[in-house]
Short mmCIF file of all heavy atoms in Angstrom, two decimals:
data_model
loop_
_atom_site.label_atom_id
_atom_site.label_comp_id
_atom_site.label_asym_id
_atom_site.label_seq_id
_atom_site.Cartn_x
_atom_site.Cartn_y
_atom_site.Cartn_z
N GLN A 105 -22.73 28.32 -18.92
CA GLN A 105 -21.45 28.99 -19.13
C GLN A 105 -20.19 28.19 -18.44
O GLN A 105 -19.20 28.15 -18.93
CB GLN A 105 -21.62 30.27 -18.48
CG GLN A 105 -20.39 31.31 -18.56
CD GLN A 105 -20.62 32.56 -18.03
OE1 GLN A 105 -21.62 32.94 -17.62
NE2 GLN A 105 -19.59 33.42 -17.87
N ARG A 106 -20.47 27.74 -17.19
CA ARG A 106 -19.49 26.98 -16.46
C ARG A 106 -19.08 25.69 -17.30
O ARG A 106 -17.93 25.36 -17.29
CB ARG A 106 -19.94 26.63 -15.15
CG ARG A 106 -20.32 27.71 -14.23
CD ARG A 106 -19.09 28.18 -13.38
NE ARG A 106 -19.49 29.22 -12.47
CZ ARG A 106 -18.73 29.59 -11.49
NH1 ARG A 106 -17.50 29.05 -11.39
NH2 ARG A 106 -19.04 30.56 -10.64
N LEU A 107 -20.06 24.98 -17.81
CA LEU A 107 -19.75 23.88 -18.61
C LEU A 107 -18.96 24.18 -19.84
O LEU A 107 -18.06 23.42 -20.14
CB LEU A 107 -21.07 23.09 -18.94
CG LEU A 107 -21.86 22.42 -17.84
CD1 LEU A 107 -23.24 21.87 -18.35
CD2 LEU A 107 -21.08 21.23 -17.27
N ARG A 108 -19.31 25.26 -20.55
CA ARG A 108 -18.58 25.64 -21.73
C ARG A 108 -17.15 25.96 -21.39
O ARG A 108 -16.20 25.55 -22.15
CB ARG A 108 -19.25 26.75 -22.37
CG ARG A 108 -18.85 27.05 -23.76
CD ARG A 108 -19.65 28.32 -24.36
NE ARG A 108 -21.03 28.15 -24.24
CZ ARG A 108 -21.72 28.85 -23.49
NH1 ARG A 108 -21.26 29.85 -22.69
NH2 ARG A 108 -23.14 28.63 -23.35
N ALA A 109 -16.87 26.70 -20.29
CA ALA A 109 -15.54 27.08 -19.92
C ALA A 109 -14.72 25.86 -19.50
O ALA A 109 -13.52 25.79 -19.77
CB ALA A 109 -15.67 28.09 -18.74
N PHE A 110 -15.48 24.87 -18.80
CA PHE A 110 -14.64 23.71 -18.44
C PHE A 110 -14.22 22.90 -19.68
O PHE A 110 -13.10 22.48 -19.73
CB PHE A 110 -15.67 22.67 -17.68
CG PHE A 110 -15.10 21.44 -17.39
CD1 PHE A 110 -14.18 21.24 -16.30
CD2 PHE A 110 -15.53 20.32 -18.06
CE1 PHE A 110 -13.65 20.03 -16.08
CE2 PHE A 110 -15.02 19.02 -17.74
CZ PHE A 110 -14.08 18.88 -16.80
N ARG A 111 -15.11 22.77 -20.78
CA ARG A 111 -14.64 22.11 -21.92
C ARG A 111 -13.52 22.79 -22.72
O ARG A 111 -12.80 22.08 -23.38
CB ARG A 111 -15.87 21.84 -22.82
CG ARG A 111 -16.90 20.91 -22.26
CD ARG A 111 -17.95 20.51 -23.32
NE ARG A 111 -18.80 19.52 -22.80
CZ ARG A 111 -19.90 19.68 -22.24
NH1 ARG A 111 -20.36 20.92 -22.02
NH2 ARG A 111 -20.68 18.74 -21.79
N GLU A 112 -13.47 24.03 -22.60
CA GLU A 112 -12.43 24.81 -23.28
C GLU A 112 -11.15 24.73 -22.70
O GLU A 112 -10.07 25.17 -23.16
CB GLU A 112 -12.91 26.25 -23.52
CG GLU A 112 -14.11 26.39 -24.42
CD GLU A 112 -14.64 27.86 -24.42
OE1 GLU A 112 -14.13 28.70 -23.67
OE2 GLU A 112 -15.62 28.13 -25.17
N ARG A 113 -10.99 24.31 -21.39
CA ARG A 113 -9.76 24.27 -20.69
C ARG A 113 -9.03 23.01 -21.25
O ARG A 113 -9.56 22.09 -21.78
CB ARG A 113 -10.01 23.96 -19.18
CG ARG A 113 -10.27 25.27 -18.48
CD ARG A 113 -10.34 25.02 -16.99
NE ARG A 113 -11.49 24.21 -16.52
CZ ARG A 113 -11.71 23.99 -15.31
NH1 ARG A 113 -10.81 24.31 -14.27
NH2 ARG A 113 -12.79 23.24 -14.99
N GLY A 114 -7.67 23.06 -21.04
CA GLY A 114 -6.77 21.82 -21.50
C GLY A 114 -7.13 20.64 -20.72
O GLY A 114 -7.63 20.65 -19.58
N GLN A 115 -6.76 19.50 -21.25
CA GLN A 115 -7.03 18.22 -20.59
C GLN A 115 -6.43 17.98 -19.31
O GLN A 115 -7.00 17.40 -18.27
CB GLN A 115 -6.69 16.93 -21.56
CG GLN A 115 -7.08 15.65 -20.97
CD GLN A 115 -6.75 14.46 -21.92
OE1 GLN A 115 -6.48 14.78 -22.98
NE2 GLN A 115 -6.87 13.37 -21.45
N HIS A 116 -5.16 18.55 -19.02
CA HIS A 116 -4.54 18.46 -17.79
C HIS A 116 -5.30 19.16 -16.66
O HIS A 116 -5.06 18.81 -15.55
CB HIS A 116 -3.01 19.07 -17.98
CG HIS A 116 -3.14 20.67 -18.05
ND1 HIS A 116 -3.31 21.13 -19.33
CD2 HIS A 116 -2.86 21.61 -17.19
CE1 HIS A 116 -3.22 22.43 -19.17
NE2 HIS A 116 -2.98 22.72 -17.97
N ARG A 117 -6.10 20.06 -17.12
CA ARG A 117 -6.96 20.78 -15.96
C ARG A 117 -8.27 19.98 -15.72
O ARG A 117 -8.91 20.25 -14.67
CB ARG A 117 -7.28 22.22 -16.45
CG ARG A 117 -6.17 23.12 -16.71
CD ARG A 117 -5.63 23.70 -15.45
NE ARG A 117 -6.66 24.45 -14.73
CZ ARG A 117 -7.04 25.69 -15.05
NH1 ARG A 117 -6.53 26.30 -16.07
NH2 ARG A 117 -7.93 26.31 -14.33
N TRP A 118 -8.60 19.07 -16.63
CA TRP A 118 -9.69 18.26 -16.35
C TRP A 118 -9.61 17.16 -15.24
O TRP A 118 -10.43 16.76 -14.52
CB TRP A 118 -10.16 17.45 -17.69
CG TRP A 118 -10.73 18.34 -18.72
CD1 TRP A 118 -10.67 19.68 -18.89
CD2 TRP A 118 -11.43 17.83 -19.81
NE1 TRP A 118 -11.30 20.06 -20.01
CE2 TRP A 118 -11.85 18.92 -20.65
CE3 TRP A 118 -11.80 16.61 -20.31
CZ2 TRP A 118 -12.55 18.89 -21.80
CZ3 TRP A 118 -12.50 16.45 -21.45
CH2 TRP A 118 -12.93 17.56 -22.18
N GLU A 119 -8.35 16.55 -15.23
CA GLU A 119 -8.15 15.36 -14.46
C GLU A 119 -7.94 15.63 -12.99
O GLU A 119 -7.58 16.69 -12.50
CB GLU A 119 -6.90 14.65 -14.95
CG GLU A 119 -6.87 14.23 -16.40
CD GLU A 119 -5.62 13.67 -16.93
OE1 GLU A 119 -4.58 14.15 -16.39
OE2 GLU A 119 -5.52 12.84 -17.73
N THR A 120 -8.40 14.72 -12.20
CA THR A 120 -8.18 14.69 -10.73
C THR A 120 -6.98 13.84 -10.49
O THR A 120 -6.94 12.81 -10.78
CB THR A 120 -9.50 14.24 -10.06
OG1 THR A 120 -10.57 15.02 -10.40
CG2 THR A 120 -9.27 14.39 -8.54
N ASP A 121 -6.04 14.50 -9.73
CA ASP A 121 -4.66 13.76 -9.59
C ASP A 121 -4.53 13.04 -8.31
O ASP A 121 -4.49 13.81 -7.17
CB ASP A 121 -3.65 14.88 -9.66
CG ASP A 121 -2.23 14.25 -9.64
OD1 ASP A 121 -2.13 12.99 -9.48
OD2 ASP A 121 -1.24 14.98 -9.82
N TYR A 122 -4.72 11.79 -8.34
CA TYR A 122 -4.44 10.90 -7.11
C TYR A 122 -3.24 10.01 -7.25
O TYR A 122 -3.16 8.84 -6.82
CB TYR A 122 -5.71 10.03 -6.99
CG TYR A 122 -6.92 10.75 -6.51
CD1 TYR A 122 -8.07 10.77 -7.33
CD2 TYR A 122 -7.03 11.36 -5.35
CE1 TYR A 122 -9.26 11.50 -6.96
CE2 TYR A 122 -8.27 12.10 -4.78
CZ TYR A 122 -9.31 12.10 -5.68
OH TYR A 122 -10.41 12.75 -5.25
N SER A 123 -2.21 10.67 -7.89
CA SER A 123 -1.09 9.85 -8.18
C SER A 123 -0.18 9.50 -6.96
O SER A 123 0.63 8.65 -7.05
CB SER A 123 -0.22 10.65 -9.21
OG SER A 123 0.24 11.82 -8.71
N ARG A 124 -0.39 10.11 -5.85
CA ARG A 124 0.36 9.80 -4.74
C ARG A 124 -0.45 8.90 -3.63
O ARG A 124 -0.04 8.85 -2.55
CB ARG A 124 0.78 11.11 -3.94
CG ARG A 124 1.77 11.94 -4.77
CD ARG A 124 2.28 13.15 -4.06
NE ARG A 124 3.28 13.80 -4.85
CZ ARG A 124 3.93 15.00 -4.54
NH1 ARG A 124 3.56 15.50 -3.35
NH2 ARG A 124 4.74 15.48 -5.25
N LEU A 125 -1.30 8.29 -4.21
CA LEU A 125 -2.06 7.21 -3.31
C LEU A 125 -1.17 5.96 -3.12
O LEU A 125 -0.45 5.56 -3.96
CB LEU A 125 -3.43 6.83 -4.01
CG LEU A 125 -4.62 7.71 -3.79
CD1 LEU A 125 -5.83 7.07 -4.57
CD2 LEU A 125 -5.00 7.91 -2.40
N LEU A 126 -1.43 5.39 -1.99
CA LEU A 126 -1.01 4.03 -1.70
C LEU A 126 -2.20 3.16 -1.84
O LEU A 126 -3.16 3.26 -0.94
CB LEU A 126 -0.35 3.88 -0.32
CG LEU A 126 -0.11 2.50 0.14
CD1 LEU A 126 0.93 1.76 -0.69
CD2 LEU A 126 0.42 2.53 1.52
N VAL A 127 -2.28 2.28 -2.79
CA VAL A 127 -3.36 1.35 -2.99
C VAL A 127 -3.10 0.07 -2.71
O VAL A 127 -2.13 -0.63 -3.16
CB VAL A 127 -3.76 1.45 -4.66
CG1 VAL A 127 -4.99 0.60 -4.76
CG2 VAL A 127 -4.02 2.84 -5.05
N PHE A 128 -3.98 -0.50 -1.79
CA PHE A 128 -3.86 -1.97 -1.47
C PHE A 128 -5.04 -2.70 -2.11
O PHE A 128 -6.17 -2.34 -1.98
CB PHE A 128 -4.03 -2.13 0.08
CG PHE A 128 -2.77 -1.85 0.82
CD1 PHE A 128 -2.62 -0.60 1.54
CD2 PHE A 128 -1.62 -2.72 0.92
CE1 PHE A 128 -1.44 -0.25 2.20
CE2 PHE A 128 -0.53 -2.22 1.69
CZ PHE A 128 -0.50 -1.24 2.34
N VAL A 129 -4.63 -3.69 -2.91
CA VAL A 129 -5.57 -4.51 -3.62
C VAL A 129 -5.62 -5.88 -2.84
O VAL A 129 -4.66 -6.54 -2.73
CB VAL A 129 -5.28 -4.71 -5.12
CG1 VAL A 129 -6.29 -5.77 -5.72
CG2 VAL A 129 -5.25 -3.49 -5.83
N CYS A 130 -6.77 -6.15 -2.26
CA CYS A 130 -6.94 -7.38 -1.38
C CYS A 130 -7.97 -8.34 -1.91
O CYS A 130 -9.02 -7.86 -2.36
CB CYS A 130 -7.23 -7.06 0.13
SG CYS A 130 -6.26 -5.75 0.91
N GLY A 131 -7.64 -9.63 -1.72
CA GLY A 131 -8.67 -10.58 -2.24
C GLY A 131 -8.22 -12.05 -1.92
O GLY A 131 -7.23 -12.30 -1.51
N ASN A 132 -9.24 -12.98 -2.21
CA ASN A 132 -9.09 -14.30 -2.07
C ASN A 132 -9.08 -14.88 -3.56
O ASN A 132 -10.06 -14.77 -4.12
CB ASN A 132 -10.13 -14.98 -1.17
CG ASN A 132 -10.34 -14.27 0.10
OD1 ASN A 132 -9.43 -13.69 0.61
ND2 ASN A 132 -11.58 -14.17 0.56
N LEU A 133 -8.15 -15.56 -3.99
CA LEU A 133 -8.07 -16.20 -5.28
C LEU A 133 -8.10 -17.75 -5.21
O LEU A 133 -7.16 -18.38 -5.00
CB LEU A 133 -6.75 -15.66 -5.99
CG LEU A 133 -6.65 -14.26 -6.52
CD1 LEU A 133 -5.33 -13.97 -7.07
CD2 LEU A 133 -7.80 -13.97 -7.51
N ASP A 134 -9.39 -18.24 -5.27
CA ASP A 134 -9.53 -19.57 -5.14
C ASP A 134 -8.69 -20.43 -6.30
O ASP A 134 -8.33 -21.49 -6.03
CB ASP A 134 -11.02 -20.01 -5.22
CG ASP A 134 -11.84 -19.53 -4.02
OD1 ASP A 134 -11.12 -18.95 -3.04
OD2 ASP A 134 -13.04 -19.60 -4.06
N GLU A 135 -8.58 -19.68 -7.38
CA GLU A 135 -7.94 -20.34 -8.53
C GLU A 135 -6.41 -20.67 -8.17
O GLU A 135 -5.90 -21.71 -8.65
CB GLU A 135 -8.11 -19.58 -9.78
CG GLU A 135 -9.45 -19.42 -10.37
CD GLU A 135 -10.05 -18.24 -9.78
OE1 GLU A 135 -9.68 -17.68 -8.77
OE2 GLU A 135 -11.20 -17.83 -10.35
N ALA A 136 -5.78 -19.81 -7.39
CA ALA A 136 -4.50 -19.98 -6.99
C ALA A 136 -4.37 -20.96 -5.92
O ALA A 136 -3.28 -21.67 -5.96
CB ALA A 136 -3.80 -18.61 -6.58
N PHE A 137 -5.20 -21.04 -5.02
CA PHE A 137 -5.10 -22.06 -3.83
C PHE A 137 -5.80 -23.32 -4.18
O PHE A 137 -5.97 -24.14 -3.35
CB PHE A 137 -5.71 -21.30 -2.67
CG PHE A 137 -4.88 -20.15 -2.10
CD1 PHE A 137 -5.16 -18.92 -2.54
CD2 PHE A 137 -3.91 -20.37 -1.31
CE1 PHE A 137 -4.40 -17.87 -2.09
CE2 PHE A 137 -3.11 -19.33 -0.74
CZ PHE A 137 -3.43 -18.03 -1.22
N VAL A 138 -6.22 -23.49 -5.41
CA VAL A 138 -6.73 -24.74 -5.93
C VAL A 138 -7.85 -25.16 -5.05
O VAL A 138 -8.91 -24.52 -4.70
CB VAL A 138 -5.66 -25.87 -6.12
CG1 VAL A 138 -6.05 -27.06 -7.02
CG2 VAL A 138 -4.35 -25.27 -6.80
N ASP A 139 -7.75 -26.53 -4.44
CA ASP A 139 -8.80 -27.04 -3.65
C ASP A 139 -8.79 -26.58 -2.25
O ASP A 139 -9.73 -26.74 -1.50
CB ASP A 139 -8.75 -28.61 -3.71
CG ASP A 139 -8.90 -29.13 -5.04
OD1 ASP A 139 -9.71 -28.54 -5.86
OD2 ASP A 139 -8.31 -30.19 -5.33
N LEU A 140 -7.64 -25.91 -1.76
CA LEU A 140 -7.51 -25.56 -0.41
C LEU A 140 -8.56 -24.53 0.05
O LEU A 140 -9.05 -24.55 1.09
CB LEU A 140 -6.08 -25.00 -0.16
CG LEU A 140 -4.97 -25.99 -0.36
CD1 LEU A 140 -3.63 -25.28 -0.12
CD2 LEU A 140 -4.99 -27.22 0.54
N ALA A 141 -8.85 -23.65 -0.87
CA ALA A 141 -9.76 -22.45 -0.43
C ALA A 141 -11.13 -22.92 -0.17
O ALA A 141 -11.94 -22.36 0.46
CB ALA A 141 -9.71 -21.38 -1.63
#
C-alpha cells in the first residue's frame, strides 16, 4: 500500500532536494600536470 501511494504521488514529491549543498570536487589530474605528477 505504501509503495502504491508513493508511485501515485507527483515526481516533485519523489525527489530528495540537496540543492543547497556546497560540493567540493578534489583530485589529482596527472594528465594536466604532464610528467610532473
Side-chain angles (χ1 to χ4, degrees):
Q105 182 181 351
R106 297 271 186 169
L107 290 172
R108 192 179 308 111
F110 173 77
R111 290 192 174 92
E112 290 173 355
R113 283 190 286 180
Q115 184 175 349
H116 67 282
R117 298 280 302 278
W118 287 18
E119 297 173 332
T120 303
D121 187 355
Y122 290 114
S123 59
R124 291 187 178 175
L125 278 180
L126 170 61
V127 182
F128 285 102
V129 176
C130 305
N132 313 323
L133 287 175
D134 293 354
E135 294 89 345
F137 291 91
V138 197
D139 297 329
L140 297 179

